[in-house]
Amino acid sequence: MSEKKKFYITTAIAYTSRKPHIGNAYDIVLADMIARYKKMMGFDVFLMTGSDEHGQKIEEYATKAGISPKEYVDGVSGEIKGVWDSLNTSYDKFIRTTDDYHEKTVQKIFNKLYEQGDIYKGHYEGKYCVPCESFFTASQLVDGKCPDCGREVIDSKEEAYFLKLSKYQDKLIEYIESHPDFIKPESRKNEMINNFLKPGLSDLCVSRSTFKWGVPITTDPGHVIYVWIDALSNYITGVGYDPDGSSDQYKKLWPADLHVIGKDIVRFHTIYWPIILMALGEPLPKQVLGHPWVLVGEDKMSKSKGNVIYADELAARFGVDAVRYYLLSEIPFTQDGTITYESFIAKFNTDLANTLGNLVNRTIAMTNKYFGGKVSFKNSDDELDNDLIKTAQNTVKSYYSLMEEYHNADACDAVMNLARRCNKYIDETAPWALAKDEANSERLSTVLYNLLECIRMLGVMLSPIIPQSAEAIFAQLGTDNTELEFSAVCEYSVNEAVALFARLDANKVLEEIAAEEKAKQEKAQKSAPENVTSLAEISIDDFLKVELKTATIVKCEPIPKAKKLLKLTLDDGSGKERIVASGIAKWYTPEDLIGHTVIVVSNLKPAVLCGVQSNGMILAADCAEDTVKVIFADDIPKGSKIR
């Protein structure tokens, strides 16, 4: 028997600054789906994920928490593993960049590159973004801020070591152009070539000396090896690479067949990482897949915006497979996808409960009711049967093609279309009507057999996507046949029908979520220091940090299930609408407010209140017991700054 072909797949390692949200979790869910599919296709698969645990940001978080950086990353790394496990992901190894073997190998990699002249010592002076851990020149900034995340940058001047990117620039361009599948999607490849490679690469800073939490350079302990070499090298250190002699596992697995990463770190994985490998004399990974983001509505997920959704909490509420299915079916190949509780519930009910769950449940139930659970194919040549079988066969062809190209959302849609066709087939053949006449027994048996065989094929195709539900389908069918072709030669002996997905009451669930959010806010308020009669004095510098502007209320409406809140749409003269949720519904109706000009705290950090992202706060006064009055400024033009 021939040896299985290997498939080594990795995710980007998660940064241990905070617990990962559902957008971060898309990496591992997508990689797990691909890994399961490749196993289904007969590959010997190795999936590696992990956590990135060094850097200035982590050192700062640990200091604020009053613990050591190692204690801090131990906790967050544990949370990352917990989230990954809650999503039923089948990784083979979880690497941590604080693992002793990784740190030692990273030091060897750095020394090798330095000794052969690919790294040199110099000085860096420029702009630095702490959250992104990236250096930029002044010309690279956008409106004076980080071009990647939009945050403020700081001036940085320090002694540093640099990697000679420019030395390998032409070689990398030639490689990318001669390997058209190296970067996917195509748009990411064009961006890398046109925006970074062709304009010319600057040498890359690969050490830091202004903080200590990192891998020390053995020959210069005042410096730590920077993230580009430390974190990126995990893909080879985790499987046994060593400059002094690599393991058999490394020789078997490398080069990686696929790096699964977010679109925001494509540059690091398709420019910095290949050049590091070229300098080491190692093969490049076969492909880098830069997937899009998961947004909340139209916004990137951010704790500061108060719009973070956590994957493990979502799985605990709706089920693991519901979360996996949403992510894999709603995130397009090239464009960002979105998630809200409303869209999640709608997708759950439409696809999982109504289409798939209903199909499986009623087909199994009818098989038990009409034939005691046992049916077989009875040689029909009915046009409806032929159309259903042809649809199933065409679906399999589409599924293979889409999964091979990692077009998972389209693959999910193709599979669900077959499930919809099966439901239509039930309506067309009306098994309940056939069951009324004994003469239709063979026809009824064939109809149910066709449905069961299509459901089995659905289970096979869904097994990389929603594995627990696929197992439940096979259990109800009483089969372990995973062939992806329609067969008319077996007999089904099904088990009891058990609902795969119970339809959700959207209003009830949203009310529960709103109540939980409210309870969290009240708990946070109770834990805050009690109000005092006299507040502490502040300096003029502190006061000047508050930006007060006038804005006209152009629209006002109640917020469902939030008795105290009104949703105000403001025009502050900026050309963009500003939404503010204000707790004044007890004292004002929308009609009382529309058209008035108010004063708004315009630089208040956004917060989500009962599902509405509030961007600011309007000024109001406590005039008497249980009486609040909004401060109107109708005689002041909108957009005026209050000084």
Side-chain angles (χ1 to χ4, degrees):
M1 192 172 90
S2 61
E3 186 177 347
K4 286 184 176 180
K5 187 178 179 182
K6 70 91 180 175
F7 190 85
Y8 175 33
I9 177 174
T10 72
T11 72
I13 51 177
Y15 197 47
T16 48
S17 56
R18 290 284 190 270
K19 175 182 175 180
H21 55 61
I22 195 165
N24 306 135
Y26 181 59
D27 242 30
I28 186 64
V29 172
L30 176 58
D32 179 71
M33 181 210 73
I34 295 169
R36 289 177 184 271
Y37 170 76
K38 289 296 183 180
K39 287 176 186 175
M40 192 169 85
M41 294 296 101
F43 284 80
D44 181 9
V45 177
F46 191 91
L47 168 58
M48 190 168 77
T49 187
S51 52
D52 176 8
E53 304 186 10
H54 293 124
Q56 182 177 357
K57 186 160 55 173
I58 288 172
E59 188 175 79
E60 291 175 356
Y61 284 151
T63 299
K64 288 179 182 177
I67 57 178
S68 71
K70 186 60 167 64
E71 289 175 306
Y72 186 87
V73 296
D74 283 347
V76 180
S77 181
E79 283 189 306
I80 293 168
K81 283 195 74 173
V83 173
W84 282 197
D85 292 342
S86 77
L87 296 169
N88 191 20
T89 57
S90 56
Y91 54 87
D92 297 285
K93 181 163 185 175
F94 189 98
I95 185 174
R96 299 179 58 184
T97 56
T98 53
D99 288 337
D100 183 61
Y101 72 89
H102 171 79
E103 292 188 345
K104 288 179 179 177
T105 306
V106 165
Q107 289 174 324
K108 288 183 180 182
I109 289 171
F110 186 94
N111 290 342
K112 176 181 172 69
L113 297 178
Y114 180 75
E115 289 165 6
Q116 67 190 32
D118 286 307
I119 288 178
Y120 63 92
K121 193 173 186 178
H123 286 81
Y124 178 83
E125 184 172 359
K127 305 296 182 180
Y128 179 67
C129 177
V130 174
C132 292
E133 298 196 73
S134 297
F135 292 100
F136 299 99
T137 63
S139 63
Q140 290 175 314
L141 302 180
V142 177
D143 296 327
K145 297 181 179 180
C146 173
D148 289 340
C149 72
R151 295 182 177 93
E152 298 289 342
V153 294
I154 60 174
D155 291 319
S156 179
K157 181 179 181 180
E158 61 185 277
E159 184 180 71
Y161 287 84
F162 293 84
L163 176 66
K164 294 180 179 178
L165 294 185
S166 52
K167 176 180 174 181
Y168 294 92
Q169 175 178 305
D170 292 341
K171 185 178 179 181
L172 180 56
I173 293 175
E174 181 183 348
Y175 182 88
I176 293 173
E177 291 180 342
S178 63
H179 294 76
D181 291 330
F182 177 56
I183 306 173
K184 290 292 183 178
E186 183 80 10
S187 57
R188 312 270 190 258
K189 179 177 75 174
N190 296 336
E191 180 188 359
M192 293 305 109
I193 291 176
N194 297 328
N195 294 0
F196 298 102
L197 285 166
K198 287 188 175 179
L201 296 176
S202 300
D203 290 346
L204 180 68
C205 179
V206 291
S207 80
R208 297 297 307 279
S209 58
T210 54
F211 62 88
K212 301 296 183 185
W213 182 238
V215 180
I217 296 175
T218 56
T219 56
D220 198 349
H223 289 257
V224 295
I225 299 169
Y226 198 33
V227 61
W228 311 127
I229 292 180
D230 176 17
L232 289 168
S233 294
N234 92 88
Y235 303 124
I236 55 177
T237 65
V239 291
Y241 171 78
D242 190 316
D244 297 333
S246 299
S247 69
D248 289 340
Q249 184 187 46
Y250 175 76
K251 293 172 185 176
K252 173 189 173 183
L253 293 177
W254 194 259
D257 294 272
L258 183 65
H259 287 326
V260 176
I261 61 168
K263 67 177 185 179
D264 52 328
I265 53 175
V266 169
R267 172 163 46 109
F268 314 140
H269 285 78
T270 61
I271 296 178
Y272 303 167
W273 178 226
I275 286 176
I276 292 170
L277 289 167
M278 286 177 174
L280 290 172
E282 296 298 316
L284 272 57
K286 294 179 182 178
Q287 192 169 75
V288 178
L289 175 62
H291 64 72
W293 284 336
V294 181
L295 306 178
V296 176
E298 297 181 356
D299 294 322
K300 188 178 179 183
M301 226 168 291
S302 166
K303 197 162 187 177
S304 65
K305 292 181 179 178
N307 64 350
V308 174
I309 297 175
Y310 292 107
D312 56 340
E313 295 176 4
L314 207 60
R317 180 184 294 277
F318 298 106
V320 176
D321 279 355
V323 178
R324 290 177 63 102
Y325 180 77
Y326 188 92
L327 289 175
L328 295 171
S329 64
E330 278 294 298
I331 313 304
F333 186 64
T334 57
Q335 298 174 332
D336 295 335
T338 64
I339 183 170
T340 62
Y341 287 115
E342 290 82 358
S343 63
F344 188 97
I345 294 167
K347 187 77 169 179
F348 181 101
N349 283 338
T350 301
D351 286 8
L352 297 180
N354 293 357
T355 300
L356 179 66
N358 190 39
L359 168 66
V360 175
N361 189 262
R362 61 177 176 164
T363 301
I364 299 289
M366 287 189 293
T367 303
N368 281 314
K369 180 178 180 181
Y370 301 140
F371 293 101
K374 293 184 179 181
V375 295
S376 57
F377 191 80
K378 298 296 183 181
N379 295 321
S380 168
D381 191 30
D382 188 278
E383 184 178 337
L384 291 174
D385 300 352
N386 293 337
D387 183 71
L388 177 66
I389 294 169
K390 183 179 179 181
T391 300
Q393 292 168 337
N394 288 338
T395 299
V396 171
K397 291 178 184 177
S398 295
Y399 174 80
Y400 280 140
S401 175
L402 294 166
M403 290 291 278
E404 288 293 334
E405 294 294 326
Y406 313 129
H407 286 254
N408 42 281
D410 293 328
C412 288
D413 194 43
V415 173
M416 209 53 63
N417 280 337
L418 174 58
R420 295 184 187 99
R421 181 66 188 89
C422 288
N423 280 315
K424 183 181 178 184
Y425 176 77
I426 292 176
D427 295 335
E428 292 169 337
T429 56
W432 51 88
L434 293 173
K436 293 179 180 179
D437 190 339
E438 184 72 24
N440 296 324
S441 179
E442 285 196 1
R443 175 63 186 147
L444 178 58
S445 178
T446 295
V447 166
L448 293 176
Y449 180 92
N450 290 341
L451 288 167
L452 293 170
E453 183 65 0
C454 286
I455 289 170
R456 182 190 65 78
M457 295 169 71
L458 286 169
V460 176
M461 289 186 283
L462 287 169
S463 58
I465 300 163
I466 47 175
Q468 289 182 354
S469 301
E471 288 178 10
I473 288 173
F474 292 131
Q476 292 188 51
L477 291 175
T479 182
D480 58 3
N481 179 7
T482 57
E483 294 295 321
L484 258 182
E485 58 184 35
F486 191 95
S487 172
V489 297
C490 67
E491 181 180 83
Y492 277 99
S493 181
V494 304
N495 295 306
E496 181 183 357
V498 180
L500 292 176
F501 301 96
R503 183 175 172 80
L504 300 171
D505 182 329
N507 289 333
K508 181 180 179 182
V509 174
L510 292 173
E511 284 176 6
E512 291 172 354
I513 293 171
E516 289 173 9
E517 288 183 356
K518 182 179 178 182
K520 287 180 183 178
Q521 292 170 2
E522 290 176 348
K523 184 178 179 181
Q525 290 172 354
K526 287 179 181 178
S527 63
E530 293 185 7
N531 291 331
V532 293
T533 305
S534 298
L535 296 176
E537 291 182 347
I538 62 172
S539 69
I540 186 65
D541 290 336
D542 290 329
F543 178 73
L544 290 175
K545 292 177 183 177
V546 179
E547 183 179 69
L548 301 175
K549 294 174 66 175
T550 56
T552 301
I553 302 173
V554 296
K555 187 177 179 182
C556 180
E557 56 192 314
I559 297 175
K561 307 175 191 67
K563 295 180 180 178
K564 296 181 180 180
L565 296 176
L566 289 176
K567 178 181 175 183
L568 309 179
T569 302
L570 306 177
D571 178 2
D572 61 5
S574 66
K576 295 181 180 179
E577 288 186 341
R578 177 188 292 271
I579 303 298
V580 172
S582 181
I584 55 174
K586 182 176 180 180
W587 300 281
Y588 291 90
T589 66
E591 293 74 20
D592 295 331
L593 297 168
I594 294 173
H596 283 290
T597 299
V598 294
I599 300 172
V600 60
V601 181
S602 60
N603 63 338
L604 191 66
K605 185 179 292 186
V608 175
L609 303 175
C610 294
V612 175
Q613 181 171 304
S614 181
N615 298 279
M617 177 186 293
I618 65 168
L619 298 191
D622 288 320
C623 297
E625 185 176 347
D626 200 30
T627 302
V628 169
K629 289 188 177 181
V630 173
I631 300 173
F632 294 123
D634 294 334
D635 56 340
I636 302 176
K638 65 185 178 186
S640 300
K641 286 189 177 182
I642 306 298
R643 302 182 184 278

